[in-house]
Amino acid sequence: PVTTLRYDLPDNNHVTLTIYDLNGREIDQLVNINQPAGHKSVQWNATDMHGKPVSAGVYLYQIRAGEFVQTRKMVLLK
C-alpha cells in the first residue's frame, strides 16, 4: 500500500513531515529539507524508518513549516 500526502507551501521554508503511531512513537520521517514555495507531494509506502512494513491501523502525520504545525489522522488499510 502507498499513500500520497499533498501540501502547499506559501513561502520558502524548512519542512518536516513525520509519521507517528497512536502512542506517539515516530514511525518514519518523509521530509526534512528546505523547500521552495508551491504545491508538494510525498509518498509513504507503509514502512517504518528501517524499511519494515507497518501494520494496518490509524497513524498520525505531522507537517511543520516554519511557525506552522498541523497534525492529521490517517487510516492504513492493507
Side-chain angles (χ1 to χ4, degrees), residues 4-61:
T4 301
L5 304 171
R6 293 178 176 84
Y7 55 97
D8 294 322
L9 285 178
D11 301 310
N12 297 351
N13 231 318
H14 184 84
V15 176
T16 59
L17 198 154
T18 310
I19 308 289
Y20 297 94
D21 66 14
L22 284 181
N23 293 322
R25 291 186 296 248
E26 186 175 322
I27 301 298
D28 201 1
Q29 191 169 72
L30 304 179
V31 178
N32 186 12
I33 58 171
N34 287 314
Q35 291 187 319
H39 303 291
K40 309 293 178 195
S41 66
V42 62
Q43 288 190 330
W44 182 47
N45 61 356
T47 59
D48 65 13
M49 63 185 77
H50 305 292
K52 296 179 183 174
V54 298
S55 60
V58 179
Y59 291 87
L60 303 172
Y61 64 95

